[in-house]
Amino acid sequence: MSTAFGLLALGLAAAVPGGWIAVNVRGSAASLERWGDSNAELRMHARGDLGPVERRMSARLHRLLGAVVALCGCVLILGGLLELA
């Protein structure tokens, strides 16, 4: 019984934030992109490089990874529900 609750808790903990980013609620994917760019810029400045920032991950890639995490969370939720039954 405790395994089911653990799976449900982990599933919810993965599905909710993953879905939030996948649907881009309140611009979350775009803000993650800006946050990554500003961190890359700070690292470049710390090295002494003052050139333009290379973009590593776009908002589209953040949304895709959020969808994958949300789907994995849904699988965990389903596993927890099947364990309860």
Side-chain angles (χ1 to χ4, degrees):
M1 186 85 127
S2 64
T3 305
F5 292 126
L7 285 173
L8 286 171
L10 288 175
L12 281 174
V16 172
W20 188 275
I21 293 170
V23 180
N24 200 17
V25 176
R26 297 181 66 184
S28 59
S31 65
L32 282 172
E33 179 185 20
R34 287 191 307 270
W35 181 56
D37 287 347
S38 67
N39 282 341
E41 184 178 4
L42 287 174
R43 282 192 306 271
M44 287 176 62
H45 286 273
R47 287 192 315 250
D49 185 9
L50 300 178
V53 177
E54 282 185 28
R55 178 167 289 158
R56 300 272 188 228
M57 290 181 62
S58 65
R60 177 178 283 177
L61 184 59
H62 280 289
R63 291 182 69 187
L64 176 70
L65 292 176
V68 169
V69 169
L71 286 174
C72 291
C74 290
V75 168
L76 287 173
I77 291 171
L78 183 61
L81 290 175
L82 289 175
E83 186 74 26
L84 280 176

